[in-house]
Amino acid sequence: MPATTDRTILVVEDDPRLYRSLCRQLEEAGYATLPVFDGKMAQRAIRNSRFHLVLLDLSLPEVDGFKLTEEIRCRDRNTPVIILTAFGDMDSKLNAFQLGADDYLVKPVHFQELLAKVKVFLKRAESHPLEVEHIEVADLRIDLQRKTVERAGQAIELTPKEFHLLACLARNKGRVLSKDDLAEQVWDNAYGVSNNTIEVYISFLRSKVDKGHEQPLIHTKHGFGYALDDHPA
């Protein structure tokens, strides 16, 4: 069945049966696909074309998925990257998130779950209503158009998920947001993101935004949630 949209998904997977199945089902769902089978092929595809979403295995010949995730993020901070892997350990998961992955699914994956996530991430990537160009909190400056962050004039490198989490907190400056609020606004509550995942991302942000500064901006109100504020109560 031909694709019914112009949205193209790069499928990076070295298992022939799996990539054929993924591509067939994605195309039946209306997406165009480009399958590649090793890290070198994926690098050429990333360097020569733009994709709306990337499905990426971690264990690949030539160049592994961690390196590819890093390269994708160096070139493009916004294209969603969903990891599909047999690696279920926490170190691999945290490493993938730190490098910029948007989601992490351990094989075997039910296609309907994957398709739901693909739709969520494509929708988010295609609709970023920016009511203001930048937000400032104390010496922290967030440029919503360029997707850049500075504190005290020094650039801070964030993954896309970290950026969206920080922007969400900044848009609600001084307001305590619960984990449910953050799950809904940053993760679209896709299949109930865990509290642990949110805590991990808050920890990532603290290490990048507050570490080394006398005044912390990210605050925890125990039992309620988190707030970004330069004058906490």
Side-chain angles (χ1 to χ4, degrees):
M1 178 178 175
T4 57
T5 77
D6 59 357
R7 291 175 290 183
T8 301
I9 297 174
L10 177 65
V11 179
V12 188
E13 170 59 61
D14 64 335
D15 182 331
R17 288 183 299 178
L18 182 54
Y19 75 66
R20 290 191 189 109
S21 175
L22 284 173
C23 289
R24 176 181 56 80
Q25 293 179 92
L26 287 167
E27 288 166 6
E28 288 175 353
Y31 301 105
T33 64
L34 176 66
V36 295
F37 325 122
D38 64 47
K40 290 288 188 184
M41 292 176 67
Q43 281 183 323
R44 288 194 294 271
I46 292 163
R47 293 169 184 175
N48 295 328
S49 304
R50 294 291 299 272
F51 300 93
H52 295 83
L53 185 142
V54 179
L55 298 180
L56 178 61
D57 191 9
L58 290 179
S59 180
L60 295 164
E62 305 291 344
V63 181
D64 68 32
F66 294 114
K67 180 65 176 176
L68 290 169
T69 301
E70 186 175 26
E71 181 165 341
I72 291 168
R73 284 296 166 248
C74 286
R75 294 174 172 273
D76 181 352
R77 298 177 66 86
N78 297 313
T79 298
V81 176
I82 300 177
I83 302 296
L84 302 179
T85 181
F87 298 156
D89 61 287
M90 184 58 68
D91 286 344
S92 294
K93 187 172 186 177
L94 291 178
N95 192 19
F97 280 135
Q98 287 175 319
L99 291 170
D102 292 278
D103 211 335
Y104 190 105
L105 301 178
V106 178
K107 300 173 184 175
V109 176
H110 292 290
F111 180 73
Q112 289 305 316
E113 177 185 0
L114 174 62
L115 182 60
K117 290 178 178 289
V118 165
K119 290 177 178 177
V120 165
F121 285 116
L122 285 173
K123 180 180 178 182
R124 182 184 306 151
E126 292 167 1
S127 58
H128 283 298
L130 300 177
E131 63 281 355
V132 294
E133 291 189 357
H134 66 268
I135 302 173
E136 293 185 5
V137 181
D139 56 354
L140 177 71
R141 178 182 173 91
I142 305 167
D143 190 317
L144 297 171
Q145 296 286 2
R146 294 181 175 84
K147 303 292 192 296
T148 59
V149 177
E150 294 180 353
R151 181 154 191 200
Q154 298 296 311
I156 299 173
E157 291 297 323
L158 299 180
T159 67
K161 187 66 69 184
E162 291 166 353
F163 180 87
H164 291 307
L165 177 56
L166 182 63
C168 178
L169 290 169
R171 287 190 180 101
N172 293 276
K173 177 180 177 261
R175 177 187 169 200
V176 176
L177 298 178
S178 69
K179 290 174 183 175
D180 287 343
D181 293 330
L182 295 173
E184 182 177 352
Q185 295 184 46
V186 180
W187 281 265
D188 291 341
N189 205 22
Y191 284 85
V193 61
S194 71
N195 286 342
N196 178 255
T197 297
I198 295 172
E199 290 167 4
V200 166
Y201 271 97
I202 290 291
S203 177
F204 289 162
L205 276 185
R206 281 200 168 106
S207 69
K208 294 182 178 183
V209 172
D210 282 342
K211 188 175 180 180
H213 295 275
E214 183 177 348
Q215 179 186 25
L217 298 178
I218 300 170
H219 305 277
T220 301
K221 191 169 181 61
H222 294 288
F224 293 94
Y226 305 97
L228 185 74
D229 200 353
D230 52 349
H231 296 293

